Amino acid sequence: MIIVTAKIIYASQTDRDRAVELSIPIQQATRDQESGCHAYCFAADPCDPIAIQVYELWEDSDSLVAHFEHENYHSMVELSSQVGFLESINRAYL
C-alpha cells in the first residue's frame, strides 16, 4: 500500500471552498474508475480556512503511476491551479 498526503494552500477560504466543491466529481471518478484506488479525499481543513488536506490510499506503485497518467489526475491539477492555488506540500509513504 502507498499513502499519499498533501496540504494544498489557496489564496482565500472562498477559493478553497470552491476547489473542494468543484473537485467532488473528480474525486468520485478517481474512486470509481481507477484500479488500485482505495481512498481519494480532498477535504477542507477545519482548522485552516485556506487549506485542503489530501489523503489517498493506493494498492501499489503501478496503480499510483497509472493515476498520474490518468485524465482524473490532470483534471485535478488543472482545477487546483484555476482556483487560487498557491502552494502544495506532498508526501508519499510505503
Side-chain angles (χ1 to χ4, degrees), residues 11-69:
S12 69
Q13 184 172 355
T14 300
D15 289 343
R16 189 269 319 255
D17 293 346
R18 184 168 173 247
V20 170
E21 183 67 30
L22 292 174
S23 72
I24 292 170
I26 301 168
Q27 292 183 62
Q28 190 66 58
T30 300
R31 294 175 184 196
D32 294 344
Q33 298 169 2
E34 296 189 47
S35 177
C37 179
H38 294 280
Y40 193 79
C41 182
F42 286 57
D45 186 324
C47 299
D48 186 342
I50 61 170
I52 288 176
Q53 294 292 336
V54 177
Y55 172 75
E56 302 176 27
L57 182 60
W58 295 91
E59 182 69 32
D60 53 30
S61 59
D62 290 340
S63 59
L64 182 56
V65 168
H67 170 63
F68 292 136
E69 297 171 358

